[in-house]
Amino acid sequence: MSVLVEKADLSLKYISHYNKVKEILFEGSSYVLNDVRNRAFQDFIIQGIPTQKNENYKYTNLNPRFLPDFEFVHHKENNNVDIKTVFRCDVPQLNLEPRLIFNGWYHRISNESLNLPEGVILCSLAEIANNNPDLIKEYYGKIAKTDSDSMVALNTAYAKDGYFLYIPKNVIVEKPIQLINFLQAETDTFVTQRNLIIIEQGASTNLIFCDHTLNLNNYLNNSVTEIFVGENANLDYYTLQNQHNRTSSINSVFIQQERDSVATTHTYSLHGGLIRNNLKFVLNGENAEANMYGMAFLDRKQHIDNFTQIIHAKPNCQSNQVYKNVLDGESTGAFSGMIHVVRDAQNTNAFQQNNNLLLTDEAKMQTKPQLIIDADDVKCSHGATVGQIDEEAMFYLRARGIDEDKARLMMMNAFAHDVVRKIKVEALGNRIDELVEKRLNGEIARCHECAYNCEM
Amino acid sequence: MLSIKNLYASVEGQEILKGINLEIKPGEVHAIMGPNGSGKSTLANVLAGKDDYEITADEITFLGENLLDKSPETRAKDGLFLSFQYPVEIPGVPMVNFIKTAVNEHRKHRGEKELTAGEFLKLMRKKMELVELKTKLTNRSVNEGFSGGEKKKNEIFQMAMLEPKLAILDETDSGLDIDALKTVANGVNALKSPETSSIVITHYQRLLDYIVPDFVHVLYHGKIVKSGGKELAFELEEKGYDWIKKENGN
Amino acid sequence: MEEKDRIINDVTQSEYKYGFVTDIETDIIETGLNENVIRIISAKKNEPEFMLEFRLNAFRKWQKMKMPDWAYLKIPPIDFQKISYYAAPKTEAKYESLDEVDPDLLDTFNKLGIPVEEQKHLAGVAVDIVMDSVSVKTTFKDTLAEKGIIFCSFSDAVKEHPELIKKYLGQAVPVADNYFSALNSAVFSDGSFCYIPKGVRCPMELSTYFRINAANTGQFERTLIIADDDSYVSYLEGCTAPMRDENQLHAAVVAIITMDRAEVKYSTVQNWYPGNKEGVGGVYNFVTKRGICRGVSSKISWTQVETGSAITWKYPSCILLGDNSVGEFNSVAVTNNYQQADTGSKMIHIGKNTKSTIISKGISAGKSNNSYRGLVKVMPGAKNSRNFSQCDSLLLNDTCGAHTFPYIDVQNKSSIVEHEATTSKIGEDQIFYCNQRGIDTETAIGMIVNGYAKEVLNKLPMEFAVEAQKLLQISLEGSVG
Ligand SMILES: Nc1ncnc2c1ncn2[C@@H]1O[C@H](COP(=O)(O)OP(=O)(O)OP(=O)(O)O)[C@@H](O)[C@H]1O
Ligand SMILES: [Mg+2]
């Protein structure tokens, strides 16, 4: 019984905090955000922080992650961080002008040159919501439903800022857009980030989103991103998760695609304490294609849970998923992927693959691929494996004089390469190949030169 | 070069090799023939260090050192090469990367310095010509999507790259067309020297026209039941294995 | 298209051929469930005190439990007070010879396609028939007794071998394992008991036939099979029920325990009444089946062909406790009209070098929903264990659903678990190929579906394989185009 009380207490903390800061939350926020705030809050009260009894959170215990006495960031902080000194993106040739999200708030870097094509908007969500609510009100909160996931509810209740990206009709953004997500505070901090991406008909872009943590406090980052991909539009969305072991990251991404569009997500989890990636695709127009690729390397007591859902709501669509995990140390991994083909979504092709390597006896993997198929003219398949490296291939390599450790490394690289080769930004692909190799070699694979150079 | 005394090997309680004795001197070519399932590949695998088997032997030495104590990679680097009967496909491991690593591991083992990228590519091109291996194949993953014949050629290409002292060719001729057979044989012969030896496992006399053996052995039910000169291969080609089976009470 | 519709129509019209009611006098108790009812059941069966205790304990636990809601099923509310928990053919059910058996009853068996007489003399199958909860007849008891094999009704076992029952009852399936196992433990009326002594290979297939006859009754039978060291038995189970408009409840428990190097093959052809084409009536089949491979190198294999029932909720499982033990699950599940099935298996690897295989073939037609649900769990100590699962679903039209819910949990690095699943429509090109060779669509579909299920059908004993194949044909005959 005491567990129950504790659990209720835990949610209570976040409930009472809302009531305490309610005015601050509403103040200065656009009606677009405020209109759904109370409803979201009620949905959170009903659902509470999910426990492992919740089928969707069966493999991830969030509760301890909510325990620290967090500070909240309800205001944009003045930050004097000189991006050049704490961060240097070392992806060669990528040559981007990164934008910054600081503890959930979008920051304009003073002399940032907005070298984006005409009509493209990249700015703070709070700003666009206040200045041009009409642009976003059709989209905000439309696919990130607050009644089916309490983390989305909590995000929507607390949401004040994040980034907003808008690519108008037929605009092709050639250069990848990079966003850096920083966590840095004086104390343990709870961060809420809310993002919105609208890609109109015929438009196209690559977005690279990198996570970084700058000091050793406990962080809990609860972010929600809604992405609308218009007819015949194209999106490649890269996420590089690279945070320290005291960070918990709950990352919910919702993507709705219209006909003839292609959307691809690439999720690289190189480091992190607890990572929960919720990724939901709705294929809302015929002939749309969705691809989801994920690769995670974990060690120590790290935990990753990739939770994907793909709804084939219209006929003639295609989806691919490949998720791979390499688990070392006492790390634990979970994958739960659901493919739902609704009635009459004929001629659907849906493919899903989840492969996992356990490197130690302490590492654990739980996987739950699911198919819910209500149309008949479909080709759907999923496969999941948990195991070690193919012994026959190992023998072949060793018989050619390659020693066991090196052979193992080659095999692990090969295992990862399947996913890495899907990266279309070449410089990024090469860099990730390198990072993967470093990571597998046991070198710390931070993808930036962190000024703090912590070992967490 | 290689000396095997009284080798037994079994898998899951089933005895496959039942007392093999074989002596191979530098410069010699030994052919091993025998019906399907007689244990030829098992012998090759045991020598290369595959650990699926329970092995007992009075002695197996390779270049004067105890072979059984060594890991597969050490055996390889010492100069033992196995051309696999069924080369495995390794998706995701690029061919070039694979063979470069192997070559450099061999060089390190011999105390030589690693090849630079340029040197390596030059060497690779040379050896590829030797077995007429198409460039497109080295751009793929190891053996992935190779035809049966291409896999075999790839084995000989790797052998040419690694320059072993003892090459064991397990049915390298199976699946090759007649031109490819010649190319492969030429490749093998090009590497022949008074210091190197080979074991050629085959079902067909025709390979032995190109790679002329000094000795032919017949392996049957896990034992070498007959040994002779190259004429034995002709005899087998002509008469089949029945007479061997009869002689051995079966 | 028209052809397709016609064929679908044909199938939905096709009659459930086991839907007759046998008109024999039945001893039936009032509907309702309370402690008193349980005492009555126990008393009617002249049970010893420990059995009554077992039942009451189970009942108390059941009262605190909730109906499971995690399956992909829409289960209408069940009023457990409206069910009669004991119905037995009134004729005293113990006969010295078949001549004494009520002719109506014999007729029933004949209609079921189990000619008891014939089987007794020709097929050599020992049959235990459970009709409305009571074991009616066990054939071949004596022949088996010579080998030391005990094969009898559960009630007889309670009386004649209480020590075995006491020892093993509730071991593989704990009373409170789930809602329906608890209910069964409280009210089960009869079932079969089988014990194969050390070193004995049972010389014939053992078989149980289940039939629900009386209206408003539930069937709650219980089967317990113990295979001692180095023994072997193959066990068959079949079931049918009359057509009735109201739903009937079947909540059975089957438990298997194998000792060192013992092997049990358990095969089921489940053909309870599925309801009519509007989805009215039919049996709710909520069954708990579990085997424990206690001994080293022991093996349990479950093979099932599921064509009947309105709702099926069933997950035959293996707990692989002994080192080197092996678990197998082979299943063909067909759903048509408004049938719903949520079935699959659990493989729990505890011992070292344990192996398991799951082969599941789902076939959905009509407006039915067919789900595979499975769990493969490899515990930290189960070093070098291996599982392979293959779950395929075949969809025969655009109004049905096929779903797959596997759960995989691996806790050591030396084990390998592989799961593959595919869902697809029956191949038009295959049908066309057959057509082109002069085979009509209906036959072609039968061939394709049987081919699709063959891997599993092949695992059935001969006597059953034929029946299962026929059943597949009847359930689906040309329901596709
Ligand atoms: N890992 C293994 N597990 C079980 N049996 C094996 C294994 N390896 C070999 N065997 C058996 O041992 C016997 C010898 O096999 P081997 O591959 O050595 O024959 P072979 O002489 O090379 O035949 P072939 O001419 O067909 O290539 C065969 O019966 C084979 O099935
Ligand atoms: Mg061979």
Side-chain angles (χ1 to χ4, degrees), chain B residues 116-239:
Chain B
T116 64
E119 288 166 339
F120 171 75
L121 283 175
K122 226 167 94 190
L123 178 70
M124 193 168 91
R125 254 187 309 241
K126 196 174 105 202
K127 301 295 186 180
M128 278 168 71
E129 276 167 31
L130 189 71
V131 293
E132 295 172 16
L133 195 72
K134 292 193 215 87
T135 323
K136 67 165 212 263
L137 295 182
T138 51
N139 292 335
R140 289 199 216 151
S141 292
V142 179
N143 291 323
E144 193 178 33
F146 287 30
S147 75
E150 286 167 345
K151 282 184 185 162
K152 295 300 169 72
K153 277 193 187 174
N154 189 19
E155 295 292 291
I156 299 305
F157 160 67
Q158 291 174 35
M159 173 175 137
M161 290 294 288
L162 300 174
E163 301 182 330
K165 300 206 173 69
L166 172 66
I168 305 169
L169 309 179
D170 190 355
E171 297 199 23
T172 303
D173 53 335
S174 307
L176 291 182
D177 62 45
I178 193 73
D179 290 338
L181 184 75
K182 272 189 222 160
T183 331
V184 163
N186 287 340
V188 174
N189 287 329
L191 298 168
K192 221 178 139 180
S193 82
E195 286 82 46
T196 61
S197 319
S198 31
I199 298 175
V200 181
I201 297 172
T202 183
H203 286 289
Y204 308 104
Q205 148 64 25
R206 62 171 198 178
L207 178 69
L208 305 178
D209 286 342
Y210 301 101
I211 306 173
V212 184
D214 301 299
F215 300 94
V216 175
H217 309 279
V218 179
L219 190 62
Y220 181 62
H221 277 334
K223 275 192 200 139
I224 293 182
V225 294
K226 207 165 195 68
S227 295
K230 61 179 183 241
E231 20 2 287
L232 181 54
F234 286 105
E235 203 175 344
L236 290 169
E237 180 95 354
E238 206 177 297
K239 300 204 248 167

Side-chain angles (χ1 to χ4, degrees), chain C residues 311-356:
Chain C
I311 302 176
T312 299
W313 179 100
K314 164 177 180 190
Y315 317 91
S317 315
C318 298
I319 296 172
L320 304 170
L321 200 61
D323 290 351
N324 305 314
S325 57
V326 178
E328 264 183 36
F329 173 74
N330 305 292
S331 166
V332 176
V334 180
T335 55
N336 200 353
N337 299 323
Y338 284 87
Q339 277 177 278
Q340 305 177 61
D342 193 296
T343 182
S345 182
K346 280 199 266 187
M347 294 290 172
I348 314 291
H349 293 257
I350 300 172
K352 293 190 192 67
N353 303 316
T354 45
K355 285 201 181 71
S356 66

Side-chain angles (χ1 to χ4, degrees), chain B residues 40-42 85-86 170-171 201:
Chain B
K40 303 181 297 294
S41 298
T42 303
Q85 184 176 4
Y86 305 109
D170 190 355
E171 297 199 23
I201 297 172

Side-chain angles (χ1 to χ4, degrees), chain A residues 390-406 410-411 413-415 417-418, chain B residues 49-50 71-73 76-77 81-82 84 88 90-93 98 101-102 105-106 108 143 155 158:
Chain A
D390 179 9
E391 283 305 317
E392 214 180 313
M394 278 291 288
F395 178 65
Y396 190 83
L397 294 175
R398 294 176 68 192
R400 292 294 176 258
I402 299 168
D403 73 44
E404 196 172 347
D405 288 348
K406 203 168 236 159
M410 282 177 99
M411 291 304 297
N413 258 312
F415 178 79
H417 189 73
D418 219 20
Chain B
K50 197 166 183 162
S71 68
E73 55 270 32
K77 288 184 285 193
F81 180 91
L82 169 61
F84 288 84
V88 62
I90 315 182
V93 173
F98 160 74
T101 312
E105 291 293 320
H106 276 72
K108 269 196 278 180
N143 291 323
E155 295 292 291
Q158 291 174 35

Side-chain angles (χ1 to χ4, degrees), chain C residues 16-264:
Chain C
Y16 178 75
K17 74 168 184 180
Y18 304 101
F20 54 87
V21 179
T22 309
D23 191 17
I24 49 179
E25 264 192 286
T26 309
D27 172 17
I28 196 163
I29 62 170
E30 290 285 301
T31 62
L33 185 55
N34 50 48
E35 286 205 10
N36 199 33
V37 167
I38 286 163
R39 285 175 203 281
I40 293 172
I41 294 171
S42 195
K44 274 190 180 287
K45 304 181 68 63
N46 292 319
E47 282 180 350
E49 188 61 25
F50 80 88
M51 282 304 301
L52 179 63
E53 279 312 311
F54 177 84
R55 288 173 184 281
L56 289 172
N57 170 41
F59 178 68
R60 283 163 201 150
K61 285 190 169 147
W62 177 76
Q63 282 181 305
K64 294 201 192 89
M65 296 171 84
K66 275 214 302 272
M67 184 113 152
D69 58 0
W70 39 258
Y72 199 85
L73 299 170
K74 289 197 188 84
I75 307 175
I78 298 171
D79 188 344
F80 289 94
Q81 299 305 332
K82 286 227 171 98
I83 295 171
S84 164
Y85 291 85
Y86 187 83
K90 212 164 211 163
T91 345
E92 195 26 67
K94 296 294 150 196
Y95 312 95
E96 288 311 309
S97 84
L98 286 167
D99 305 339
E100 300 171 33
V101 177
D102 183 332
D104 273 349
L105 195 59
L106 274 185
D107 194 40
T108 306
F109 298 148
N110 287 326
K111 279 192 213 161
L112 287 173
I114 359 160
V116 179
E117 274 291 37
E118 220 175 279
Q119 285 192 9
K120 183 170 174 180
H121 299 297
L122 301 174
V125 177
V127 189
D128 186 18
I129 296 158
V130 179
M131 178 142 156
D132 286 344
S133 316
V134 167
S135 187
V136 185
K137 182 69 198 160
T138 304
T139 57
F140 271 101
K141 202 169 161 175
D142 298 341
T143 323
L144 293 169
E146 282 167 25
K147 293 225 166 215
I149 296 171
I150 305 168
F151 180 46
C152 60
S153 72
F154 207 94
S155 328
D156 287 350
V158 168
K159 286 178 205 118
E160 289 160 28
H161 310 280
E163 69 299 340
L164 286 174
I165 299 290
K166 249 189 207 158
K167 185 164 169 198
Y168 293 111
L169 186 65
Q171 197 177 87
V173 182
V175 166
D177 181 79
N178 65 69
Y179 189 74
F180 299 110
S181 70
L183 177 64
N184 175 288
S185 302
V187 302
F188 76 92
S189 23
D190 211 338
S192 308
F193 175 80
C194 174
Y195 172 82
I196 316 288
K198 283 196 171 98
V200 171
R201 273 188 78 85
C202 182
M204 60 188 81
E205 313 272 355
L206 299 186
S207 161
T208 306
Y209 245 92
F210 298 111
R211 178 158 177 88
I212 301 176
N213 195 46
N216 297 320
T217 57
Q219 173 139 330
F220 306 92
E221 83 277 358
R222 201 167 178 107
T223 303
L224 177 57
I225 301 171
I226 318 287
D228 217 327
D229 295 353
D230 300 291
S231 66
Y232 168 85
V233 65
S234 167
Y235 200 97
L236 322 175
E237 171 200 293
C239 15
T240 53
M243 293 199 278
R244 294 188 187 280
D245 284 346
E246 67 280 4
N247 298 104
Q248 288 165 297
L249 180 62
H250 173 244
V253 169
V254 177
I256 300 175
I257 297 169
T258 51
M259 306 305 183
D260 290 353
R261 295 167 303 278
E263 177 177 352
V264 174

